[in-house]
């Protein structure tokens, strides 16, 4: 890029980040946060719905930036399937992500067997609370019923998660991987571009992390340690989702992978013990270091591959 192109690229990045962060933080801090702490059931459900709607802000930010900078829309879409020769990248995120989530949960319970509860007491508590909220008797909830619910959710998650989460995940991925990523790659080398992109993505989640959306509240170092952990998770996942985006020249594989994560990330938590609480920063969810060990290893391998490919292309 020449100096003018570089200046224009930086301007687009800054405008995009300002729009996306200001809108997101405003909605989450001033609208969602007060409702999330409310004891009113209706307010709590409304807050949950708004959290899902926030996922559309990155795509909205991209559209507004394109309009403000008078950029071309067609050249910035990057939402083609591009299946030919790229099925392996789609397979990496689905069923690949499913396998990594299961393996991470299994690894966590192997290391911490006392945290595993085959009777799914955690799920039973949730089902009893749901029964009481609709006026039904909580005594009807059994371990067998909890297992059936988890089995059904698991099957739905494996098969349907990418499809059910398609639109909201497209709202995020078209913004982060479809719009921001190519501009970061123009401005920086691959490794710093992907690390910076993941860090930005993690910080974008900060208000939700403060609300306990990812790690709960009351843990040691709250909320700073939660925000740091979320940034690490987003860097790891950002590398993988960026890799499939770069390879396919489309953000759709990232959309599919993001959908799998949203649908199955909490899978391991269903099997945790109420008597011996799990460590949120270690697992069994994939947002923990042990639960997400497979993703961490994969991210390191893919980042090294991209770094190696970039260096081979550079003139000696």
């Amino acid at each position: 890029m020449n100096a003018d192109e570089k200046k224009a690229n930086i301007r687009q990045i800054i405008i995009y980040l300002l729009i996306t962060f200001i809108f997101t933080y405003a909605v989450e801090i001033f609208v969602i946060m007060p409702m999330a702490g409310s004891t009113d059931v209706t307010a709590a459900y409304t807050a949950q719905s708004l959290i899902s709607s926030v996922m559309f802000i990155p795509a909205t930010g991209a559209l507004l930036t394109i309009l403000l900078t008078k950029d071309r829309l067609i050249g910035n879409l990057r939402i083609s399937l591009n299946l030919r020769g790229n099925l392996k990248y789609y397979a990496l995120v689905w069923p690949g992500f499913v396998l990594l989530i299961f393996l991470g949960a299994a690894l966590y319970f192997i290391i911490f067997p006392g945290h595993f509860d085959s009777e799914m007491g955690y799920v039973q508590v949730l089902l009893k609370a749901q029964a009481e909220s609709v006026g039904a008797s909580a005594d009807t909830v059994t371990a067998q019923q909890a297992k059936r619910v988890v089995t059904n959710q698991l099957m739905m998650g494996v098969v349907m998660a990418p499809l059910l989460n398609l639109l909201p995940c497209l709202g995020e991925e078209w913004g982060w991987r479809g719009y921001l990523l190519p501009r970061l790659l123009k401005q920086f080398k691959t490794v710093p571009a992907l690390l910076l992109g993941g860090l930005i993505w993690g910080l974008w989640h900060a208000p939700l992390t403060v609300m306990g959306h990812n790690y709960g509240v009351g843990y040691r170092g709250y909320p700073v340690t939660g925000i740091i952990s979320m940034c690490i998770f987003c860097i790891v996942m950002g590398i993988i989702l960026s890799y499939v985006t770069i390879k396919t020249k489309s953000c759709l594989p990232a959309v599919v992978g993001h959908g799998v994560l949203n649908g199955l990330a909490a899978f391991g938590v269903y099997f945790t013990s109420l008597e011996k609480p799990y460590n949120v920063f270690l697992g069994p969810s994939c947002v923990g270091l042990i639960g997400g060990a497979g993703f961490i290893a994969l991210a390191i391998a893919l980042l090294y591959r991209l770094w190696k490919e970039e260096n081979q292309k550079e003139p000696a």
Side-chain angles (χ1 to χ4, degrees), residues 55 58 93-94 97 101 161-162 165-166 168-174 176-177 201 204-205 230 233-234 237 241 244 251-265:
M55 295 178 69
V93 296
W94 184 36
F97 277 16
I101 289 170
N165 294 312
L166 181 64
C169 290
L170 179 61
E172 270 201 57
E173 291 305 323
W174 185 57
W176 300 125
R177 253 60 65 178
W201 191 26
W204 180 75
H205 285 86
M230 192 60 192
F233 174 73
C234 286
M237 295 312 309
L241 297 178
V244 295
C251 69
L252 286 186
V255 172
V256 173
H258 197 150
V260 173
L261 284 175
N262 283 10
L264 292 173

Side-chain angles (χ1 to χ4, degrees), residues 233-246:
F233 174 73
C234 286
I235 288 172
V236 169
M237 295 312 309
I239 289 170
I240 301 171
L241 297 178
S242 294
Y243 178 84
V244 295
T245 299
I246 291 169

Side-chain angles (χ1 to χ4, degrees), residues 20-164:
T20 304
F21 271 77
I22 289 172
F23 272 86
T24 302
Y25 277 35
V27 171
E28 291 178 346
I29 293 171
F30 299 111
V31 181
I32 297 176
M33 198 172 286
M35 286 194 293
S38 173
T39 56
D40 185 354
V41 176
T42 303
Y45 278 119
T46 303
Q48 193 61 43
S49 299
L50 286 172
I51 289 173
S52 298
S53 68
V54 165
M55 295 178 69
F56 292 97
I57 292 180
T60 304
L63 280 173
L64 290 175
T65 305
I66 290 170
L67 291 173
L68 289 172
T69 58
K70 298 179 181 179
D71 202 356
R72 295 179 300 111
L73 177 61
I74 299 300
N76 286 293
L77 287 177
R78 294 183 177 85
I79 53 174
S80 301
L81 276 173
N82 295 343
L83 290 175
R84 188 174 181 180
N86 292 320
L87 287 177
K88 59 185 177 182
Y89 301 114
Y90 281 90
L92 177 64
V93 296
W94 184 36
F97 277 16
V98 175
L99 181 61
L100 290 177
I101 289 170
F102 290 173
L103 289 176
L107 177 62
Y108 179 86
F109 289 125
I110 289 172
I111 296 174
F112 301 103
H115 293 179
F116 182 77
D117 179 10
S118 60
E119 297 299 307
M120 298 184 184
Y122 177 86
V123 179
Q124 288 188 57
V125 169
L126 293 179
L127 292 177
K128 288 177 181 178
Q130 289 177 0
E132 290 174 347
S133 68
V134 296
S137 174
D139 296 333
T140 59
V141 177
T142 63
Q144 197 63 32
Q145 184 180 355
K147 290 176 182 179
R148 283 199 302 269
V149 169
V150 170
T151 301
N152 291 337
Q153 288 188 350
L154 175 60
M155 295 302 296
M156 284 291 292
V158 171
V159 177
M160 298 298 295
L163 303 177
L164 296 175

Side-chain angles (χ1 to χ4, degrees), residues 176-189:
W176 300 125
R177 253 60 65 178
Y179 184 81
L180 180 62
L181 175 63
R183 281 152 185 80
L184 291 177
L185 290 171
K186 286 180 183 179
Q187 207 67 36
F188 308 101
K189 287 194 172 185

